[in-house]
Amino acid sequence: MSKEARPSWDSPMQFVLACVSYAVGLGNVWRFPYLCQMHGGGGFLIPYLLMLVLEGIPLFCMELAIGQRMRLGSIGAWTAISPYLGGLGIASVVTSVYLCLYYNIINAWSFWYLFHSFQPVLPWSECPVNSNRSGYVQECEVASPTQYFFYRETLNVSSSIDENGGVHMGLALCLLLAWVIVFLFIVRGVKSTGMVVYFTATFPYLVLIIYLIRGFTLHGAWNGVKYMFTPKLEQLANPQTWINAATQIFFSLGLGFGSLIAFASYNHQNNDFEKQAVAVSLINSSTSVFACMVTFAIYGFKATLNYESCLERMRVLLLNTFGLSESDVSIDNVTVWISHLNHTNPEMFATIASKIEVCSLEAELDTAVEGTGLAFIVYSEAIKNMPVSQLWSVLYFIMLLLLGMGSMLGNITAIITPLGDLKILSRTFSNETLNGLVCLVCLLLGLGFTTRSGSYWFTMFNDYGATLSLLFIVLFEVVSVCYIYGLKRFEKDIEDMLGHRPNWYWRVMWAAVSPALLICLFIVYIINYIQGGTPTYQAWDKDLGRSVVKEYPAYGQAFIALLLISSLSCVPLVALYEFCKRKHRGQPIRQRQTVCTVSSGL
Amino acid sequence: MKMITRILLLIFLPSVIARDLCKDGKDGYKVRLSIKTALGDEAYEWNESEMFLFRSSLAFAMRKYTQRETFDISNILVCNETKRVSFVFVVTSPNDSTKLIPKDHVASAVRQHKHRINSAFLLSDGTLEFVGIPPTLAAPITYSTQPWLIVFGVVIGAVAVGIVSLLMSTMTRRRRAADKGVDSGQEEEQMEGIVKGNGTSLTRLESKDGVYNQAFSNDERFTKL
């Protein structure tokens, strides 16, 4: 008659690897190197590590404590802390749903690139020829082959968010595959997830090490690494540096989605989450730094390549215009020759003056890219120039897939755990059916991101779906735990679980420092939203061969508002609902309950 | 005296005319070779013999293009040679050495046989340039089945097999547990009845391994709200 007891991880190692696999994601690879470059190279580590200590580790530990204590997903856990706080759990689930919808598209793109790496010539290394074979396709000429492959052949992107198109069948198939794999990983809940995380947490490190070795042996990689490690400490005076460090720590650890609560709910009561929290946070940050080194080695290689091909172009231009012998001008003395010919032959030099480019290595290194542009355009451009590029391409996209899938595991667990805890659903559906339904619904809704304007919707979700809401959720969480549930009560719970009370560091961070930091970030975000004016996005212009900034149309802005309001409003709405329910029942709002069960009959 | 002048004129006239035809440059094309860029250390020197090879390969291209007229090496005139290794050439008609073959014919001939001319010099489209005649690019490779679909099919097939086997094993495990449960189901039903009669509904506990009853653990157990 009794259902099975709550499943649990086979060993604490599985739990730690699951947290690592969730926290170490694509953001470590494509956001942190960009921030490092923008904010003074090695100097950025100072605010980054400081924020890790002040904000990252305490909040991470708090979420693990809540999950392990309540042994329920986010909805159940917050309802248990106080029935008025159930909305916090619902807000987490809503935000997780938005994240799941758009995050798996990145995995679909990675699959697309991975499958296209199994060709004798990588498709993004050359432009396709046009119909009468007299030249290359116009769009590819204006842009570059890698950009053409991403925007035209992968996304088939339209020129604005208004122009919809059909679904890209190839991408839809890849999305289907991504969701089927996610289903395979979570079909048995923690048991299947626990097996998978051994691989998804460790293999990316293997690939990163291989890439580090490959990267450092590339021609010109040292320029990039040197550029990264020369700290520009004057950037520390810029407040934006500190804000970016705080937000990066916050989002990189994946707080507020309910995934950590869900993972920890499958722990045994006496699991030492405190040490594990510190370990996982440190692993996450060191992975960011590690990935940064690899990225800068690749940047250095690419920048040196561009610089040398610029010099080569200038050399050929000089040779052709002045009829010099090839052995006279080499790449090293191009600049010398330019000034020499300018003096000796000014009239002829004037004819090519418009075509002379200034080749600068620093300018190449200064071009910082983040996000999908870094992962799919810059990296693939570097890979196509490596020898045996198919092998490196396969390795790289498998790594991206594992990072993305690992994070997806956490995201989807954040949804299925609270849903599985709800009595109504768990009575009607078995675990597997429920998980399958969630995956199916997310797949069908996610097909919208495979249309021609899909990547613009993706950007919208990425920028607004899970940013402000998370700050609000985590701020509310830490305030609830410290002041509504009571810090003393929380410490007692931890003592019950671990055998000792948390020391002064945790208490000070939870009660004062982390909430203060989160309030600052929240205010900064609100100010940015207000001051930023109409929200804009980058649209691909196929005639210019680059992205242009466009404003969202009215319905786009309404949708952004809907995204924000739908998750933020859960908290007050549920509190209000509970308040009215109790008033209606005639029960006292504040009650000393003699018998209270943990589940409130949701 | 007059004879000698006439003879001299006759000897030098063709070359004078030839140089004029070439230097006019209306129907001629400029050619650029980048031998050192292409071959590096194995680069050969550009000299008279190489020029001879060029003229003969161009004559060959013209012959194959027209398929009737017999072009000879004397029909290919070259001028404006530089150290870059670049020069201008024109093609004269085999029947009348003062008439030039029009530009577009020359271009078509070169375009059709560029590959042969390239191979003669161990160069490629990029390193042997005919300024004004863009090379015909290689046709794109067409596959009967896209290779990516093949890899996709393999992966999704493997995943589908994995899911089916996992689901089957779960179902057989459940069926086995249900069969075992049927045997001891009798006594459990009795117990359930007794428990239900008490008033406290223990069915709420069925999915948890016990409930932390907060009222009985400590004093400070009330939510402050």
Side-chain angles (χ1 to χ4, degrees):
Chain A
M1 70 143 197
S2 57
K3 261 190 156 180
E4 301 154 7
R6 190 175 186 80
S8 66
W9 302 103
D10 284 338
S11 70
M13 177 56 91
Q14 273 189 3
F15 169 65
V16 172
L17 286 179
C19 289
V20 167
S21 178
Y22 167 65
V24 173
L26 294 168
N28 299 63
V29 170
W30 74 31
R31 175 83 176 145
F32 183 78
Y34 170 75
L35 288 177
C36 228
Q37 193 168 20
M38 287 279 101
H39 296 297
F44 184 68
L45 288 177
I46 298 176
Y48 186 70
L49 291 174
L50 195 62
M51 290 300 166
L52 177 69
V53 166
L54 292 181
E55 176 200 10
I57 299 183
L59 292 174
F60 197 87
C61 186
M62 184 191 76
E63 290 218 356
L64 291 188
I66 294 170
Q68 192 169 307
R69 167 78 181 79
M70 300 301 169
R71 312 210 71 207
L72 289 170
S74 51
I75 301 182
W78 290 106
T79 315
I81 288 185
S82 157
Y84 293 102
L85 289 178
L88 207 51
I90 298 182
S92 287
V93 172
V94 167
T95 319
S96 288
V97 168
Y98 292 153
L99 186 74
C100 277
L101 283 180
Y102 82 78
Y103 201 84
N104 228 4
I105 275 287
I106 307 173
N107 290 333
W109 293 340
S110 302
F111 270 123
W112 174 266
Y113 269 80
L114 174 67
F115 295 151
H116 277 83
S117 309
F118 291 96
Q119 281 177 7
V121 173
L122 290 177
W124 56 85
S125 58
E126 293 174 338
C127 278
V129 284
N130 62 14
S131 39
N132 55 3
R133 290 167 64 188
S134 61
Y136 297 116
V137 170
Q138 178 60 20
E139 186 177 355
C140 195
E141 289 272 9
V142 183
S144 68
T146 36
Q147 283 176 317
Y148 178 79
F149 184 75
F150 183 62
Y151 288 110
R152 188 53 46 212
E153 300 203 18
T154 310
L155 302 176
N156 196 12
V157 72
S158 61
S159 54
S160 79
I161 200 170
D162 302 306
E163 299 169 29
N164 293 317
V167 165
H168 187 297
M169 284 319 297
L171 263 191
L173 284 177
C174 290
L175 185 65
L176 170 71
L177 177 63
W179 275 113
V180 164
I181 291 186
V182 168
F183 178 61
L184 174 69
F185 288 169
I186 56 153
V187 67
R188 283 249 205 97
V190 210
K191 290 303 174 194
S192 50
T193 312
M195 288 291 118
V196 165
V197 291
Y198 281 115
F199 188 61
T200 60
T202 51
F203 195 73
Y205 287 99
L206 184 63
V207 177
L208 273 177
I209 290 175
I210 296 177
Y211 253 93
L212 189 75
I213 299 174
R214 169 76 273 203
F216 273 34
T217 51
L218 285 172
H219 168 64
W222 193 241
N223 295 329
V225 178
K226 214 169 32 172
Y227 183 81
M228 171 195 155
F229 278 113
T230 21
K232 300 182 195 61
L233 288 172
E234 57 272 10
Q235 278 287 336
L236 290 183
N238 179 7
Q240 194 61 34
T241 308
W242 297 87
I243 293 171
N244 280 346
T247 31
Q248 173 61 15
I249 282 287
F250 182 80
F251 290 124
S252 173
L253 287 172
L255 306 163
F257 285 107
S259 315
L260 297 170
I261 298 182
F263 278 155
S265 69
Y266 298 110
N267 276 338
H268 292 295
Q269 278 286 312
N270 301 323
N271 180 50
D272 189 357
F273 59 87
E274 210 176 74
K275 286 209 186 63
Q276 289 167 345
V278 175
V280 173
S281 311
L282 287 178
I283 291 177
N284 180 50
S285 294
S286 17
T287 312
S288 289
V289 176
F290 189 34
C292 200
M293 288 200 286
V294 176
T295 306
F296 272 86
I298 304 276
Y299 267 156
F301 167 64
K302 186 174 164 304
T304 311
L305 204 71
N306 285 349
Y307 172 66
E308 284 178 358
S309 59
C310 171
L311 286 176
E312 178 67 22
R313 279 197 304 275
M314 291 302 103
R315 173 177 168 262
V316 169
L317 185 63
L318 289 181
L319 286 179
N320 291 351
T321 325
F322 294 94
L324 306 159
S325 156
E326 285 180 281
S327 42
D328 289 342
V329 188
S330 70
I331 342 180
D332 303 318
N333 51 21
V334 168
T335 27
V336 176
W337 270 101
I338 289 180
S339 42
H340 173 72
L341 288 168
N342 203 357
H343 282 123
T344 51
N345 217 335
E347 322 86 46
M348 211 190 282
F349 194 83
T351 56
I352 53 161
S354 55
K355 292 194 216 142
I356 295 279
E357 304 166 36
V358 178
C359 301
S360 156
L361 189 58
E362 279 70 42
E364 295 285 341
L365 285 168
D366 270 338
T367 51
V369 188
E370 62 160 336
T372 50
L374 172 61
F376 293 104
I377 298 179
V378 170
Y379 257 95
S380 29
E381 200 166 308
I383 287 172
K384 81 176 191 215
N385 292 315
M386 294 183 194
V388 200
S389 43
Q390 288 86 352
L391 168 70
W392 298 107
S393 178
V394 167
L395 264 184
Y396 172 68
F397 287 110
I398 287 184
M399 178 187 77
L400 278 194
L401 272 172
L402 287 173
L403 291 174
M405 281 297 175
S407 301
M408 270 307 288
L409 286 180
N411 296 332
I412 201 93
T413 310
I415 303 177
I416 60 177
T417 306
L419 286 186
D421 291 333
L422 293 180
K423 289 292 172 317
I424 331 165
L425 289 177
S426 57
R427 251 178 296 195
T428 347
F429 301 113
S430 76
N431 237 1
E432 287 83 8
T433 327
L434 189 61
N435 297 346
L437 277 177
V438 170
C439 289
L440 185 66
V441 168
C442 287
L443 167 65
L444 293 175
L445 290 176
L447 282 178
F449 294 107
T450 58
T451 56
R452 291 196 59 199
S453 54
S455 71
Y456 302 133
W457 290 99
F458 168 83
T459 315
M460 181 198 286
F461 270 75
N462 195 21
D463 290 340
Y464 299 103
T467 44
L468 195 66
S469 352
L470 281 180
L471 280 172
F472 179 74
I473 290 172
V474 178
L475 176 60
F476 223 81
E477 280 185 8
V478 75
V479 164
S480 311
V481 165
C482 289
Y483 300 108
I484 300 180
Y485 187 69
L487 188 57
K488 289 229 174 320
R489 208 162 141 196
F490 191 55
E491 288 175 31
K492 187 78 174 49
D493 285 339
I494 293 182
E495 194 185 6
D496 288 340
M497 286 193 285
L498 296 182
H500 63 267
R501 284 195 175 238
N503 64 24
W504 63 269
Y505 162 72
W506 301 107
R507 287 199 298 254
V508 168
M509 294 304 149
W510 286 332
V513 178
S514 303
L517 265 176
L518 287 174
I519 291 175
C520 287
L521 285 182
F522 193 67
I523 293 175
V524 165
Y525 256 79
I526 301 256
I527 293 177
N528 277 344
Y529 276 5
I530 298 172
Q531 272 186 343
T534 330
T536 56
Y537 65 102
Q538 300 262 2
W540 177 254
D541 185 329
K542 67 177 196 272
D543 303 312
L544 291 177
R546 56 182 178 81
S547 302
V548 292
V549 174
K550 283 201 177 146
E551 284 185 354
Y552 280 113
Y555 65 85
Q557 296 176 37
F559 198 80
I560 292 176
L562 182 69
L563 280 179
L564 289 172
I565 292 174
S566 57
S567 46
L568 292 178
S569 61
C570 289
V571 181
L573 282 179
V574 168
L576 200 62
Y577 168 73
E578 280 289 322
F579 185 78
C580 295
K581 199 168 75 175
R582 275 155 198 257
K583 218 171 177 186
H584 178 75
R585 277 205 211 138
Q587 288 171 336
I589 309 294
R590 288 163 170 264
Q591 49 178 319
R592 292 179 151 239
Q593 299 173 336
T594 46
V595 175
C596 50
T597 52
V598 176
S599 65
S600 60
L602 270 171
Chain B
M1 204 41 201
K2 264 196 189 163
M3 272 303 289
I4 299 174
T5 344
R6 242 181 249 150
I7 291 169
L8 282 172
L9 208 61
L10 271 172
I11 294 171
F12 287 116
L13 194 59
S15 55
V16 170
I17 294 175
R19 239 171 287 141
D20 286 336
L21 281 172
C22 180
K23 278 209 166 58
D24 277 340
K26 272 192 289 93
D27 279 323
Y29 279 104
K30 185 166 182 178
V31 180
R32 262 190 224 125
L33 289 94
S34 311
I35 308 173
K36 289 211 177 52
T37 315
L39 301 170
D41 291 329
E42 293 161 30
Y44 47 80
E45 276 303 313
W46 186 259
N47 51 27
E48 269 303 308
S49 321
E50 305 287 345
M51 182 56 84
F52 180 82
L53 179 60
F54 179 82
R55 290 166 74 194
S56 56
S57 46
L58 215 52
F60 158 78
M62 292 305 300
R63 280 199 190 195
K64 288 206 80 169
Y65 174 69
T66 51
Q67 283 167 8
R68 284 178 295 109
E69 299 171 29
T70 46
F71 284 85
D72 199 5
I73 195 168
S74 51
N75 296 120
I76 316 289
L77 307 168
V78 171
C79 55
N80 287 352
E81 289 190 53
T82 66
K83 274 195 307 177
R84 164 76 175 89
V85 192
S86 70
F87 47 85
V88 179
F89 74 92
V90 286
V91 184
T92 57
S93 164
N95 307 326
D96 179 5
S97 62
T98 50
K99 213 175 71 146
L100 290 177
I101 304 286
K103 263 192 134 160
D104 36 347
H105 290 274
V106 179
S108 312
V110 168
R111 204 182 273 128
Q112 273 179 19
H113 302 100
K114 186 75 173 4
H115 180 64
R116 298 292 294 271
I117 304 177
N118 285 347
S119 318
F121 289 94
L122 308 173
L123 297 173
S124 64
D125 275 340
T127 38
L128 173 51
E129 269 182 271
F130 283 77
V131 179
I133 309 181
T136 317
L137 301 160
I141 320 173
T142 45
Y143 301 98
S144 49
T145 7
Q146 296 273 332
W148 80 267
L149 271 178
I150 301 175
V151 188
F152 170 80
V154 167
V155 175
I156 204 169
V159 173
V161 164
I163 290 182
V164 165
S165 58
L166 262 183
L167 287 176
M168 300 280 286
S169 74
T170 319
M171 281 202 318
T172 45
R173 196 160 44 96
R174 282 242 177 90
R175 217 177 299 135
R176 224 176 287 140
D179 290 342
K180 232 185 282 166
V182 162
D183 302 335
S184 55
Q186 295 291 337
E187 50 180 278
E188 287 197 355
E189 276 196 308
Q190 284 183 342
M191 277 182 59
E192 206 180 296
I194 294 170
V195 164
K196 270 204 173 134
N198 241 354
T200 41
S201 170
L202 271 181
T203 50
R204 281 223 209 166
L205 298 172
E206 66 190 311
S207 63
K208 291 186 199 36
D209 49 341
V211 174
Y212 198 126
N213 197 331
Q214 301 178 356
F216 293 104
S217 55
N218 216 334
D219 354 347
E220 283 293 312
R221 280 299 174 186
F222 303 121
T223 318
K224 292 215 168 46
L225 271 180

